[in-house]
Amino acid sequence: MDQLPTREDIAKTHRAIQPYIHRTPVLTNQTINQLTEATLYFKCENFQKVGAFKMRGASSAVVALDDDLKYRGIATHSSGNHAQAVALSAKMHGIEAHIVMPKNAPSIKRNAVEEYGATIYTSGNLIKDREEKMKEVLESTGATFIHPYNNYHIIAGQATAAKELLEDFPDLDILMAPVGGGGLLSGTALSSKYHDALIKVYGAEPKLVDDAYRSFKSGKIETNDRIDTIADGLRTMLGEKTFQVISQYVDDILTVEEESIIKAMRLIWERMKIVVEPSGAVPLAAVLEHPELFKGKKVGLIISGGNVDLQELPF
Amino acid sequence: MDQLPTREDIAKTHRAIQPYIHRTPVLTNQTINQLTEATLYFKCENFQKVGAFKMRGASSAVVALDDDLKYRGIATHSSGNHAQAVALSAKMHGIEAHIVMPKNAPSIKRNAVEEYGATIYTSGNLIKDREEKMKEVLESTGATFIHPYNNYHIIAGQATAAKELLEDFPDLDILMAPVGGGGLLSGTALSSKYHDALIKVYGAEPKLVDDAYRSFKSGKIETNDRIDTIADGLRTMLGEKTFQVISQYVDDILTVEEESIIKAMRLIWERMKIVVEPSGAVPLAAVLEHPELFKGKKVGLIISGGNVDLQELPF
């Protein structure tokens, strides 16, 4: 896919990846609806394979490869959910996955990737170290690099979450997804606008890493000075492709305080009885912080994932 | 209901309480199936109203009251999920709930009951204090006392969880529920045996409070010397009615170590991404401790609830 995924591209991607993903449930909660005075529909990607929406994008990238490329395997550098998704996708297709992980990656994450049978390459901790090691690995293996978000196949894959949500609940007024690299938000925006151009699409972002908010306002990709948000999935900045989609199709980006993220996460755990990671609670945090935008509306929120270290909970 | 609920009693109860309860989902998990070499079906009563199966029994007890009794309200003494269920059932029927709670009940539990609009009466911490205060309240209000488990209406209500599970998955080999007072296990046994007399029914119980196990073996109701299990929902002993059903219809009671409960709870949180309370993890703990009974079988497990204090997790 060399250009922005069309409606048909997303539909085709959805059919192609169906054997490799779960159609995740949509949950509602009366107490949280009463509290927010809105009707919220939570698309539960925490129940997705590998515990996050990343499985959609990784599957999409793999099914798009021709047999010759598949044969040479796939690769990425990541210490998060994307690495697990690439590893599991490779396993499901019977091909090799080469994952570069920094020395300081938690052993729990290394183990998860190893369990899926991927080959792990250890690099230094800086982004530069990871990229250098990645280059070496790509040269020696001939594997295809799967970028975590700046890739139209990935965007088309992530778009299938909002597509399913709108199939189940076609008359939503607003859709909202968290924004880190922008793959999920880009896909959400495309699926929403293809469904109904009047649906509002918001990105939800921690104030501490508000590069997407600033990029959206300034018209160029901005970076973060600090990345110490609790929402560990959202510490990255936008790519050119995701920035383009977000600029064009997203209505606004809402930023939230760290305390709101923890409060929203706690509400979801206590009231909905599901495990969500901090990044997955950021959209609800945005509803809590900006109630006037949502009052009386039907709002779809993408819960991006549920991978948390139970030993390091913020409450 | 003056005698053991029949199949028809349970069906009638189910129809009557349907407006007041959720039909909860049944979840499966590949990783846990691989680990246990069994096919497990988790009936998720953690997603039930008030976060526990207790809402089924309380609703059943309330719908059975005639208008005159309803008018005088309902009452119980409890600091747990049953109190919340009685309070919410009363609220849904527009009647009064009178709840006796010990002085040392956590404020989080008092608040939950108060939020449902119940009147709270504070007693001393001993069972005897609670019962005395309860007697006073019943005399002054004329309210109907709703026992948490030793009541056929309650048993018929709790039976609807297994009934739904078997409607969704009719060919299970084994059903298992945790056992505390025995309401849930009694109901599970009745629904299972009415569905198919060949289904095996097990109770799962912490070894630290193995009164049900000992009662089952000795043929009379046994008590616990200590009640310091992490599974706070299972610290009670059987009642006459639940003991009768369990003796007659349950195939065995399996006991588990505290560490197995924590391990099972963690597995459910990490792999299934749902919040379950320690009591709700006891059946999976029994599968982990007694794998030979379950290998190759289709096993329905009732996850009794999801009410945990996030500040006091065991991991």
Side-chain angles (χ1 to χ4, degrees), chain A residues 22 27 30-31 46-47 49-51 108 115-116 265-266 268-276 306-311 313 315, chain B residues 22 27 30-31 46-47 49-51 108 115-116 265-266 268-276 306-311 313 315:
Chain A
H22 290 310
L27 298 184
Q30 262 184 321
T31 310
N46 54 326
F47 294 146
K49 284 180 200 281
V50 311
I108 190 174
E115 268 179 39
Y116 295 128
M265 184 173 162
R266 186 169 189 143
I268 294 171
W269 286 48
E270 288 190 341
R271 296 298 180 159
M272 298 179 65
K273 311 296 179 190
I274 61 175
V275 171
V276 301
N307 292 329
V308 281
D309 184 342
L310 293 178
Q311 239 99 40
L313 297 178
F315 30 69
Chain B
H22 290 310
L27 298 184
Q30 262 184 319
T31 310
N46 53 329
F47 293 146
K49 283 180 200 281
V50 312
I108 192 173
E115 268 179 38
Y116 295 128
M265 184 174 163
R266 187 170 189 141
I268 294 172
W269 287 49
E270 287 189 342
R271 295 298 179 159
M272 298 178 65
K273 311 295 180 191
I274 61 174
V275 171
V276 301
N307 292 330
V308 281
D309 184 341
L310 293 177
Q311 239 99 38
L313 296 178
F315 30 69

Side-chain angles (χ1 to χ4, degrees), chain B residues 236-307:
Chain B
T236 40
M237 48 185 272
L238 299 177
E240 279 169 44
K241 295 187 171 70
T242 53
F243 175 60
Q244 169 210 2
V245 180
I246 289 169
S247 302
Q248 196 172 346
Y249 292 101
V250 168
D251 292 280
D252 207 353
I253 308 235
L254 308 176
T255 61
V256 299
E257 302 286 350
E258 295 293 299
E259 308 86 78
S260 305
I261 301 172
I262 295 170
K263 189 179 167 194
M265 184 174 163
R266 187 170 189 141
L267 255 180
I268 294 172
W269 287 49
E270 287 189 342
R271 295 298 179 159
M272 298 178 65
K273 311 295 180 191
I274 61 174
V275 171
V276 301
E277 57 191 51
S279 305
V282 169
L284 178 58
V287 176
L288 297 175
E289 277 203 32
H290 306 270
E292 70 289 354
L293 294 175
F294 303 98
K295 211 168 155 175
K297 307 280 194 215
K298 293 184 183 164
V299 186
L301 306 178
I302 316 260
I303 290 192
S304 48
N307 292 330

Side-chain angles (χ1 to χ4, degrees), chain A residues 10 159-163 166 186-196:
Chain A
I10 294 170
T160 60
K163 177 172 178 283
L166 286 162
S186 296
T188 301
L190 290 177
S191 278
S192 301
K193 300 297 181 174
Y194 289 152
H195 177 81
D196 177 351

Side-chain angles (χ1 to χ4, degrees), chain B residues 72-302:
Chain B
R72 286 187 269 164
I74 54 178
T76 201
H77 61 88
S78 156
S79 58
N81 293 334
H82 177 62
Q84 288 188 52
V86 167
L88 178 57
S89 294
K91 186 184 176 190
M92 290 175 116
H93 285 82
I95 65 177
E96 295 267 329
H98 307 274
I99 313 285
V100 173
M101 300 188 93
K103 263 193 301 228
N104 65 358
S107 61
I108 192 173
K109 302 219 166 173
R110 285 183 74 95
N111 295 344
V113 168
E114 256 168 5
E115 268 179 38
Y116 295 128
T119 306
I120 296 180
Y121 304 81
T122 305
S123 75
N125 294 331
L126 301 175
I127 282 282
K128 164 174 84 56
D129 301 330
R130 286 159 59 166
E131 289 176 345
E132 260 168 38
K133 176 60 96 179
M134 186 80 269
K135 212 176 141 200
E136 274 174 48
V137 170
L138 293 176
E139 275 166 14
S140 66
T141 62
T144 301
F145 176 63
I146 312 279
H147 193 281
Y149 49 86
N150 204 39
N151 171 322
Y152 288 131
H153 289 293
I154 294 283
I155 292 172
Q158 319 306 25
T160 60
K163 177 173 179 280
E164 290 177 7
L165 175 54
L166 286 162
E167 283 166 3
D168 292 348
F169 298 93
D171 62 343
L172 299 181
D173 302 305
I174 299 172
L175 260 83
M176 183 154 46
V179 52
L184 181 64
L185 179 58
S186 295
T188 301
L190 290 177
S191 278
S192 300
K193 299 297 182 174
Y194 290 153
H195 178 81
D196 177 350
L198 295 179
I199 294 180
K200 285 231 181 298
V201 177
Y202 296 131
E205 188 177 42
K207 208 164 277 178
L208 275 183
V209 290
D210 65 347
D211 60 292
Y213 171 81
R214 286 180 286 107
S215 305
F216 189 78
K217 300 296 176 194
S218 73
K220 61 181 193 350
I221 296 179
E222 306 279 352
T223 58
N224 295 305
D225 291 333
R226 44 190 292 205
I227 57 161
D228 49 345
T229 173
I230 186 179
D232 53 325
L234 308 181
R235 290 173 185 157
T236 40
M237 48 185 272
L238 299 177
E240 279 169 44
K241 295 187 171 70
T242 53
F243 175 60
Q244 169 210 2
V245 180
I246 289 169
S247 302
Q248 196 172 346
Y249 292 101
V250 168
D251 292 280
D252 207 353
I253 308 235
L254 308 176
T255 61
V256 299
E257 302 286 350
E258 295 293 299
E259 308 86 78
S260 305
I261 301 172
I262 295 170
K263 189 179 167 194
M265 184 174 163
R266 187 170 189 141
L267 255 180
I268 294 172
W269 287 49
E270 287 189 342
R271 295 298 179 159
M272 298 178 65
K273 311 295 180 191
I274 61 174
V275 171
V276 301
E277 57 191 51
S279 305
V282 169
L284 178 58
V287 176
L288 297 175
E289 277 203 32
H290 306 270
E292 70 289 354
L293 294 175
F294 303 98
K295 211 168 155 175
K297 307 280 194 215
K298 293 184 183 164
V299 186
L301 306 178
I302 316 260

Side-chain angles (χ1 to χ4, degrees), chain A residues 160-208:
Chain A
T160 60
K163 177 172 178 283
E164 290 176 5
L165 174 55
L166 286 162
E167 284 166 3
D168 292 348
F169 298 94
D171 62 343
L172 299 181
D173 302 305
I174 299 172
L175 261 84
M176 183 154 47
V179 53
L184 181 64
L185 179 58
S186 296
T188 301
L190 290 177
S191 278
S192 301
K193 300 297 181 174
Y194 289 152
H195 177 81
D196 177 351
L198 296 181
I199 294 181
K200 286 232 180 296
V201 177
Y202 296 131
E205 189 177 42
K207 208 163 273 175
L208 276 182

